């Protein structure tokens, strides 16, 4: 028995499917719930374009069951249009499966006891038909989705660039049909890689997605960001009465712990470009003086930020601790970070408290700045910032 000879109840399979228009109405009724907005309900579900698509789908199924070649391009073009109009992949695939289920019910109802081999062959051919159609739909959806995502990405990047470089952000937003928030939080973040077992590109994608998800989880609007495995910059819409930076700190700590360091500024649309420069400098200061971990604001680093202004004053501050060993500077760091608690500083350094006292005394001898006194602590903190920023600046010039 060839596919062209398939018959059930004495009637050819092709005539069973194409000889009765009622089956088209049943298919339309079956697929309408998969996407009411696209298919409509009631009389709307019998619109000419929907009936046309169902007729061609039925023709394709009949051709598959009877060994005739069928051009799927029209069906695929119809599906692509639905994807472009916003239909989900699941709804389109579900519609095809429901249509085939109606076809199968029609074939099974027509079959007699002696038609078992023919009915089994129909089932096999319908499965092959679904496989072919579903694979084609998946490829079409992926292409449509990719084009759509690229368009959205380009639009978001254009707005991000305009905001961070002082361009026409309102114009870019209008062209893409988006609305800008009145104020944004500017997050500049640095990540330290923790996984070395996976290929670099795998880690990069994973870390980037984790970072984006952590930021998105606290936003109440579209985040505009350029992110990678090493960190990046994000513009987070601010909401009234919310603690966005607090929520962000918790989300980033939960996702990355001490391997994530960031700086945060808040600004109106016209102030973002200038605020971003401040945030980038805050991050540099935080990494220089506070080490890794936490998201810092200007108020957290106000003294350090002001002490870090480029110029002869910063260079002079930096020179005040030239020649002081790394061990002594680490002790000053730990003592200042502990709030002047010598025992806590000793515990952080894994030394005896008397060793902390001795080292701080050596710093006083070498620099004239006494860490245990308020004025000396402030001077040392400023000198540490200046020294590290000056060192970083020289490294960039040498590089």
């Amino acid at each position: 028995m060839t596919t062209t000879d398939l018959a059930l109840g004495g009637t050819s399979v092709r005539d069973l499917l194409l000889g009765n228009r009622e089956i088209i109405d049943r298919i339309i009724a079956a697929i309408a719930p998969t996407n009411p907005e696209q298919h409509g309900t009631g009389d709307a579900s019998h619109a000419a374009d929907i009936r046309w698509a169902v007729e061609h789908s039925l023709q394709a199924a009949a051709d598959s069951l009877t060994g005739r070649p069928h051009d799927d391009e029209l069906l695929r073009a119809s599906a692509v249009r639905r994807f472009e109009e916003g239909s989900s992949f699941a709804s389109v695939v579900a519609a095809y499966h429901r249509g085939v289920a109606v076809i199968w019910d029609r074939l099974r109802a027509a079959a007699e006891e002696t038609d078992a081999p023919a009915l089994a062959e129909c089932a096999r051919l319908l499965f092959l038909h679904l496989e072919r159609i579903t694979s084609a739909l998946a490829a079409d959806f992926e292409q449509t989705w990719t084009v759509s995502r690229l368009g959205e990405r380009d639009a978001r990047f254009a707005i991000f660039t305009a905001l961070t470089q002082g361009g026409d952000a309102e114009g870019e937003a209008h062209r893409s049909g988006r609305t800008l928030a009145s104020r944004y939080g500017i997050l500049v973040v640095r990540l330290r890689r923790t996984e070395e077992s996976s290929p670099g590109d795998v880690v990069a994608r994973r870390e980037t997605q984790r970072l984006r998800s952590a930021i998105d989880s606290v936003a109440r609007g579209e985040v505009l960001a350029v992110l990678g495995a090493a960190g990046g910059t994000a513009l987070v819409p601010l909401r009234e009465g919310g603690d966005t930076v607090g929520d962000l700190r918790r989300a980033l700590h939960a996702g990355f712990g001490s391997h994530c360091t960031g700086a945060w500024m808040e600004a109106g649309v016209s102030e973002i470009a200038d605020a971003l420069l401040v945030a980038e400098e805050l991050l540099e200061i935080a990494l220089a003086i506070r080490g890794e971990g936490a998201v810092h604001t200007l108020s957290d680093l106000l003294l350090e930020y002001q002490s870090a202004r480029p110029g002869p004053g910063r260079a002079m501050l930096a020179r005040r601790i030239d020649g002081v060993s790394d061990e002594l500077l680490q002790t000053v760091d730990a003592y200042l970070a502990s709030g002047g608690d010598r025992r806590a500083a000793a515990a952080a350094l894994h030394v005896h408290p008397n060793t902390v006292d001795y080292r701080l005394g050596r710093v006083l001898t070498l620099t004239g700045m006494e860490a245990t006194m308020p004025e000396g602590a402030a001077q040392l903190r400023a000198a540490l910032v200046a020294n590290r920023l000056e060192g970083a600046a020289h490294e960039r010039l040498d590089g």
Side-chain angles (χ1 to χ4, degrees):
M1 177 176 57
T2 66
T3 54
T4 55
D5 300 325
L6 277 176
L8 299 170
T11 304
S12 73
V13 167
R14 190 172 189 84
D15 287 343
L16 284 171
L17 297 182
L18 302 180
N20 186 343
R21 308 295 289 177
E22 182 185 350
I23 192 173
I24 295 176
D25 292 334
R26 290 207 299 267
I27 292 175
I28 290 174
I31 68 176
T34 63
N35 193 337
E37 291 185 2
Q38 296 290 335
H39 292 290
T41 57
D43 291 340
S45 67
H46 293 265
D49 60 333
I50 295 173
R51 178 169 288 275
W52 176 90
V54 170
E55 288 176 349
H56 279 267
S57 296
L58 183 61
Q59 180 75 51
D63 288 344
S64 294
L65 287 168
T66 54
R68 289 174 170 80
H70 187 86
D71 186 357
D72 293 331
E73 288 305 312
L74 289 177
L75 294 178
R76 295 178 67 174
S78 176
V80 166
R81 188 182 71 177
R82 289 178 59 191
F83 293 144
E84 291 173 343
E85 290 172 349
S87 294
S88 68
F89 178 70
S91 71
V92 176
V93 171
Y96 274 95
H97 278 71
R98 290 191 178 200
V100 169
V102 172
I103 293 172
W104 172 249
D105 288 341
R106 171 69 170 148
L107 298 177
R108 188 177 57 179
E112 299 175 352
E113 289 186 10
T114 56
D115 292 329
L119 190 61
E121 179 64 7
C122 286
R124 185 183 74 83
L125 293 172
L126 282 177
F127 274 117
L128 291 175
H129 174 71
L130 269 180
E131 178 186 7
R132 180 169 56 85
I133 291 296
T134 304
S135 297
L137 290 176
D140 292 336
F141 177 78
E142 182 177 9
Q143 181 178 0
T144 305
W145 181 86
T146 299
V147 171
S148 174
R149 291 287 291 177
L150 287 174
E152 290 183 4
R153 186 191 67 182
D154 290 346
R156 289 196 301 269
F157 182 72
I159 298 171
F160 175 89
T161 302
L163 287 169
T164 55
Q165 297 183 9
D168 182 14
E170 292 285 356
E172 294 292 351
H174 178 74
R175 280 187 283 275
S176 64
R178 287 170 163 79
T179 302
L180 297 178
S182 59
R183 289 181 63 79
Y184 284 89
I186 301 100
L187 173 69
V188 182
V189 64
R190 186 86 52 83
L191 296 180
R192 176 163 60 87
R193 176 174 291 186
T194 59
E195 299 181 49
E196 299 296 341
S197 58
S198 301
D201 57 339
V202 174
V203 173
R205 288 194 298 271
R206 182 185 300 135
E207 295 295 274
T208 302
Q209 186 54 47
R210 287 176 60 208
L211 178 58
R212 184 176 297 278
S213 296
I215 297 170
D216 285 343
S217 70
V218 306
R220 297 296 183 271
E222 185 178 50
V223 174
L224 303 169
V226 174
L227 302 172
T233 301
L235 306 181
V236 183
L238 296 177
R239 61 189 186 278
E240 291 294 332
D243 181 20
T244 305
V245 65
D247 294 340
L248 190 62
R249 281 169 168 156
R250 288 184 284 273
L252 291 176
H253 182 76
F256 300 94
S258 63
H259 300 295
C260 176
T261 307
W264 175 267
M265 289 286 293
E266 297 182 4
V269 169
S270 63
E271 304 165 331
I272 288 176
D274 291 334
L276 175 59
L277 297 177
V278 176
E280 290 173 340
E281 190 170 354
L282 287 176
L283 177 59
E284 187 177 2
I285 292 170
L287 290 169
I289 191 70
R290 299 288 180 89
E292 294 180 331
V295 175
H296 303 273
T297 65
L298 179 59
S299 62
D300 298 329
L301 299 170
L302 192 56
L303 175 61
E304 292 90 339
Y305 176 80
Q306 200 57 39
S307 302
R309 301 300 83 217
R314 190 175 83 174
M316 184 178 296
L317 270 173
R319 287 195 297 271
R320 294 194 65 180
I321 55 174
D322 279 349
V324 179
S325 70
D326 289 341
E327 181 181 71
L328 294 180
L329 292 179
Q330 289 170 4
T331 302
V332 173
D333 268 334
Y335 181 77
L336 295 177
S338 71
D341 186 334
R342 56 191 284 275
R343 293 188 180 276
L349 295 167
H350 306 291
V351 299
H352 193 276
N354 289 343
T355 302
V356 173
D357 292 338
Y358 169 76
R359 292 177 181 176
L360 294 180
R362 289 287 300 150
V363 171
L364 173 60
T365 299
L366 292 170
T367 67
M369 294 181 285
E370 190 169 2
T372 58
M373 299 298 291
E375 183 179 355
Q379 291 176 343
L380 278 169
R381 188 184 300 277
L384 285 167
V385 173
N387 185 270
R388 287 167 186 170
L389 292 180
E390 284 286 301
H394 288 309
E395 286 181 8
R396 286 195 295 270
L397 288 175
D398 294 340

